[in-house]
Amino acid sequence: MEAYEIRGGRPLSGAVTIHGAKNSALPILAACACISGTCRIDNCPDIADVDTAIAILSHLGCRAWREGRAVLVDAAGLCRCDVPQVLMGGMRSSVLFLGALLTRCGSAELAAPGGCSLGCRPIDLHLWAAEALGASWWCEGERLLCRAGTMAGCRLELRCPSVGATENALLMALGCPGTTVIANAAREPEIADLVRFLRAMGARVTGEDTAELTVEGCAPLHGGDYLVMPDRMETATYLCAVAGCGGELLLRGARPETLEAVTDALSRAGCRLEREAGGLRAAAPPRLQPPGCVITRPYPGFPTDAQAPLMAAVIRAGGTTGFVETIFENRLRHAEQLCRLGADITQYGARAVVRGVRQLRSTELCATDLRCGAALVIGALQAEEVSRVTGIGHIRRGYEDLAAGLRGIGADIALTAEA
Ligand code: UD1
């Protein structure tokens, strides 16, 4: 079984380059299925979820391949509208092929999407948007079928600002005659990145960075080049790593304006963060102060994806930190694992109270989801002897070579493959 072997207890220092954003690249790659010209998506992270997106596009009849940091997609040959269970189950973003295929082919045949197990992750809003725009859907066994009827743009007022539902509604609206307004839309920067990509390919979409997106449907789409934004969550992960371990880092390419809720929390914890030409410099004291209560919220609130890494950063802080997870019902599974390292965490449903301890003990840990994996690595980096983190397939889904990145800034972390 593959594992990371981590000898912790040393501060981090040096520079790390932030890769392209997973949560931008995946919706953009799904959107490529709507476009018959060739799209060159640059700064595409080399992660397992991008491989899954390439496999789905290839299955659909598109040509999709990697050239260095770019993924190229030529969807001219798209000839089918079904995605098999084995590919759907590989990641959560496979659900975005619903909107892309409905627009391109007028029908989609999917299975349940995979991704991190964070509790119930319904797609009722995605299906409601499809229906409101004129499509119908039904289930046959494990398959979800969706067919376009008389499609027409309309006002879609989302019950909550779901990132995935906003993206799917956007992709569906591209193929609907007339105007679609998506109100109470999610405002995550990755949605703005998707909008900018679509506009660069000829779509008429406005309102990015606001809670109301407007789409004039049926604009002719064409291929082109696009540069994916840097990953906010990879940035947050390295920031939490240096915050937990102490030291000083330069995060090249980081865009701090996209993660102010995280940088604010780290500043309250005693880190010094300074924007620099081309990136962000972060300096952390040997022991953090508690940053106060952290409540996850839709953007621009504190991101649910950064909750686990921040929790791992404060397990040795000089005081108590509270966490409230409001987005997903089961997103504190890392807490139990961090306790195995000697952290003092009490969980009350979706809340956790972390009392900082002076010393951690090395142990065996198992990642149960992507950000849990990142949190366990950050926890192990603070324990002085050797810890092992298994379940690293979860980490590979969303981080491009996290171990190499950490080694480059002084961490003692190695990939082992023994039984
Ligand atoms: C979520 C995060 C996003 C992050 C992504 C990857 C939020 C608001 N979204 O996006 O920032 O990048 O995970 O980890 O923090 N919901 C429904 N019905 C639906 C869709 C969603 O009830 O059809 C609910 C979900 O159960 C959840 C909330 O809406 O409570 C937000 O879900 P959503 O934004 O769709 O999740 P992701 O798109 O996975």
Side-chain angles (χ1 to χ4, degrees), residues 22-23 92 116 118 120-127 159-167 186 188 190 232-233 296-299 302-305 325-329 331 370-371:
K22 159 184 168 291
N23 291 341
R92 177 74 185 168
C116 291
L118 311 174
C120 174
R121 297 181 80 175
I123 57 163
D124 58 307
L125 279 170
H126 306 232
L127 297 171
R159 186 186 73 236
C160 63
S162 151
V163 175
T166 302
E167 291 164 344
E188 267 68 358
E190 293 80 9
R232 295 185 293 139
M233 294 311 147
T296 62
R297 298 267 188 227
Y299 191 85
F302 191 91
T304 175
D305 280 354
E325 170 58 48
T326 72
I327 308 293
F328 294 113
E329 60 191 13
R331 205 172 197 181
L370 170 60
R371 307 301 169 187

